[in-house]
Amino acid sequence: MKTIFVLAALVAIATASAIPDSRALKDDFQEFLDLVPVDGLLGVALKYLTTDKEFKEFFGYLQGEEFSAVWDQVFALAEVKDVLNYLEDADLAVYDALNTVADFLGLHHVSPAVMSLKAGGLNGFFNEAVALLPLEKFEALFEEKLKTSPEFKAFFEKLRKLDYLKFVELHDNSKELQAFLQKLRNYGLDVDGFFDLVAGFFGWYHSSQTGTNLSTMKTIFVLAALVAIATASAIPDSRALKDDFQEFLDLVPVDGLLGVALKYLTTDKEFKEFFGYLQGEEFSAVWDQVFALAEVKDVLNYLEDADLAVYDALNTVADFLGLHHVSPAVMSLKAGGLNGFFNEAVALLPLEKFEALFEEKLKTSPEFKAFFEKLRSLDYHKFVELHDNSKELQAFLQKLRNYGLDVDGFFDLVAGFFGWE
């Protein structure tokens, strides 16, 4: 307890001039501060700083690189920032106080994970946007749809079964994506906390969360609301999943959100700066990398096949920001072209009968089984070498991709079928 209250006393001294005149929690802190003999403690500190070798040595350590790293690591923790934000929202200017200490010791300033609404900027925009959303109604509708709509439940299960490791690989290997995420962090957005919430929500890795709590739903449905706004004009009039999406869209205060966006775009320097970044080359690379992922295209194709014109909606955004268009990995039959041909051809094949006959032949025909084993034992590395070293083959495969054929997915299927890793 002695150690805790020495620390509390020092914090109280640091924040004494930062406590305003309006909140109940401030009054509680003030009562503790009233117990602190500020002048006496400052006198002791000054005496030791001028006369005691060990104390001066430690003070020098506090001004060095090693402690600076400790300071940064502690205040990078989401849990620490959460507490500081709680105090800041209670009108205790803890960030100002900590940064006074930082200036005194030559340390880095501590910045909020989430800025106050009145501070503006990108966080201000998101906070004002979230404040307009009926989050509890979103959550209730989500739970209802999981129970009553087979189409919506199937879509949610599809998202849950995505190979999230592909997103992890993109996160780890894309310098452009890393730069984009760091920019969001610099604006005060809790990017890492968002990833944890999304991953926990979809069950993509072990999470400490035991259920779908409201804070998780808030994050998920902010995303859902933005998607709904983007696809609002693209929803046609025929499919059940469309009806589910429309019910979510009906909860979104579109005019209010657009008003907030327009206000920030015309008046807020940080927001305008970020908007300019979205129109630049670095974010364009992030956009291309994300929509090149087979998992992302698979979800988009799923929605497109449900008559949700997501490609049109995304390409409207692309045109607005000057980004590349997003093209389907597999086009609809009605779109024609090379994909149309393959889709119509595949639709004519009795695939289940093929599969049944294949299994039967492996069991009853030694010759067929020997042939299959020969294929399995091929040195597939030779194919990999050809793939990697032939510019002509690369050009051919790229042409197929440009037609919308999922070449890479096909290779994965073949390799998995023959056990070629």
Side-chain angles (χ1 to χ4, degrees):
M1 293 299 294
K2 287 183 179 179
T3 304
I4 297 297
F5 280 116
V6 168
L7 179 60
L10 294 177
V11 172
I13 294 168
T15 60
S17 62
I19 298 177
D21 302 318
S22 62
R23 293 290 292 273
L25 187 59
K26 176 271 300 184
D27 297 330
D28 297 329
F29 270 64
Q30 187 63 51
E31 290 186 48
F32 285 103
L33 181 59
D34 290 341
L35 298 176
V36 178
V38 177
D39 293 338
L41 288 172
L42 289 176
V44 170
L46 183 60
K47 180 182 75 171
Y48 272 77
L49 191 58
T50 55
T51 64
D52 189 273
K53 180 180 178 181
E54 183 178 284
F55 190 85
K56 287 189 285 186
E57 180 183 288
F58 180 70
F59 186 76
Y61 167 80
L62 294 180
Q63 295 175 302
E65 290 185 7
E66 187 173 298
F67 181 73
S68 178
V70 174
W71 173 275
D72 293 342
Q73 291 163 7
V74 168
F75 291 111
L77 289 173
E79 293 76 10
V80 173
K81 287 198 172 184
D82 184 52
V83 172
L84 296 178
N85 290 336
Y86 183 92
L87 295 173
E88 191 79 15
D89 289 340
D91 280 350
L92 289 161
V94 288
Y95 285 105
D96 289 343
L98 286 168
N99 290 331
T100 298
V101 175
D103 290 337
F104 182 62
L105 295 175
L107 305 171
H108 297 132
H109 274 206
V110 181
S111 59
V114 180
M115 297 185 293
S116 170
L117 289 177
K118 60 189 176 186
L122 196 60
N123 250 309
F125 164 74
F126 276 109
N127 286 334
E128 289 195 34
V130 170
L132 292 175
L133 297 174
L135 300 175
E136 292 185 0
K137 291 182 179 180
F138 270 116
E139 182 182 16
L141 182 59
F142 174 83
E143 298 294 345
E144 176 192 334
K145 287 298 175 185
L146 283 183
K147 295 175 182 176
T148 62
S149 171
E151 295 82 6
F152 187 82
K153 185 176 181 180
F155 174 62
F156 181 68
E157 289 302 319
K158 183 172 186 65
L159 295 179
R160 284 175 58 89
K161 293 175 182 177
L162 287 176
D163 183 1
Y164 71 90
L165 293 174
K166 299 295 184 182
F167 298 98
V168 175
E169 290 173 9
L170 176 63
H171 174 275
D172 292 346
N173 298 323
S174 168
K175 63 181 182 180
E176 295 85 1
L177 178 57
Q178 289 290 344
F180 171 62
L181 297 178
Q182 188 56 50
K183 181 175 286 287
L184 295 180
R185 293 185 188 99
N186 293 342
Y187 283 127
L189 290 170
D190 186 10
V191 174
D192 306 289
F194 172 78
F195 285 157
D196 287 341
L197 283 173
V198 172
F201 182 68
F202 289 115
W204 288 342
Y205 59 75
H206 177 70
S207 172
S208 59
Q209 294 170 311
T210 57
T212 305
N213 58 41
L214 185 56
S215 64
T216 301
M217 294 305 301
K218 287 181 180 180
T219 305
I220 297 300
F221 280 118
V222 168
L223 180 62
L226 295 176
V227 172
I229 293 169
T231 60
S233 63
I235 296 177
D237 303 318
S238 62
R239 293 291 293 272
L241 187 59
K242 176 272 299 185
D243 297 330
D244 296 328
F245 270 64
Q246 186 64 50
E247 289 187 50
F248 284 104
L249 179 60
D250 290 340
L251 295 176
V252 178
V254 177
D255 292 340
L257 290 173
L258 291 176
V260 170
L262 182 61
K263 179 184 76 172
Y264 273 77
L265 191 57
T266 55
T267 64
D268 189 274
K269 180 180 178 182
E270 181 178 288
F271 190 84
K272 287 189 283 186
E273 176 187 292
F274 181 71
F275 185 77
Y277 169 82
L278 294 180
Q279 296 175 302
E281 291 185 7
E282 187 174 290
F283 181 74
S284 178
V286 174
W287 173 275
D288 292 343
Q289 290 164 7
V290 169
F291 290 111
L293 287 175
E295 290 73 17
V296 173
K297 286 197 172 184
D298 183 50
V299 172
L300 295 179
N301 290 336
Y302 184 94
L303 294 173
E304 191 81 15
D305 289 342
D307 279 349
L308 289 160
V310 287
Y311 285 105
D312 288 343
L314 286 169
N315 290 331
T316 298
V317 175
D319 290 336
F320 182 62
L321 294 176
L323 304 171
H324 297 131
H325 273 205
V326 181
S327 59
V330 179
M331 294 187 295
S332 171
L333 291 178
K334 61 189 176 186
L338 194 60
N339 249 309
F341 162 73
F342 276 108
N343 285 334
E344 290 194 36
V346 169
L348 295 174
L349 297 175
L351 298 178
E352 292 185 0
K353 291 182 178 180
F354 270 113
E355 182 179 8
L357 183 58
F358 174 81
E359 297 294 342
E360 178 191 336
K361 289 298 179 184
L362 283 182
K363 295 175 181 177
T364 63
S365 171
E367 296 80 7
F368 186 84
K369 184 175 181 180
F371 173 65
F372 181 69
E373 289 302 322
K374 182 174 182 65
L375 294 178
R376 284 174 57 88
S377 62
L378 288 175
D379 184 3
Y380 70 90
H381 291 104
K382 299 297 184 182
F383 299 101
V384 175
E385 289 174 10
L386 174 63
H387 174 275
D388 293 346
N389 298 323
S390 170
K391 63 181 182 181
E392 295 83 5
L393 178 57
Q394 290 289 345
F396 170 66
L397 297 178
Q398 188 56 51
K399 182 175 287 289
L400 294 180
R401 293 187 187 98
N402 293 342
Y403 282 124
L405 289 169
D406 187 10
V407 174
D408 306 288
F410 172 76
F411 284 158
D412 288 340
L413 283 173
V414 172
F417 181 70
F418 290 115
W420 290 342
E421 301 178 5

